[in-house]
Amino acid sequence: VVVQTTEGMLALGVDRLRGIADAVVRPLPSLAPSVPLLAGAALDGAGNPQPVLDPTALFGAVQAARSHGERPALPAQRPILV
């Protein structure tokens, strides 16, 4: 999946793409732990919250890791991209 941000273009590896949908992204509640790469959450058709990644923050994290000569850490679990 290729994402265009205000900072540039970013390619994300995904296992599968389930489709495209319009969603209203809401900020996380104040009691939820802060996750820097998370833009908020959207509700699916059944009313369940689905996390939504912040592509600009993700791009910035990759750029910061590259500038320090680091490779981005691979997550222990596969992330969900909505």
Side-chain angles (χ1 to χ4, degrees), residues 39-74:
L43 298 178
D44 65 11
N48 299 313
Q50 301 296 317
V52 178
L53 294 175
D54 180 352
T56 303
L58 187 59
F59 185 87
V62 170
Q63 290 297 91
R66 284 184 179 170
S67 69
H68 290 101
E70 302 172 7
R71 295 188 67 179
L74 296 175

Side-chain angles (χ1 to χ4, degrees), residues 15-68:
D15 290 330
R16 65 183 166 174
L17 186 61
R18 295 183 63 185
I20 298 173
D22 292 325
V24 176
V25 179
R26 304 267 184 192
L28 295 176
S30 59
L31 296 176
S34 176
V35 179
L37 300 179
L38 205 55
L43 298 178
D44 65 11
N48 299 313
Q50 301 296 317
V52 178
L53 294 175
D54 180 352
T56 303
L58 187 59
F59 185 87
V62 170
Q63 290 297 91
R66 284 184 179 170
S67 69
H68 290 101

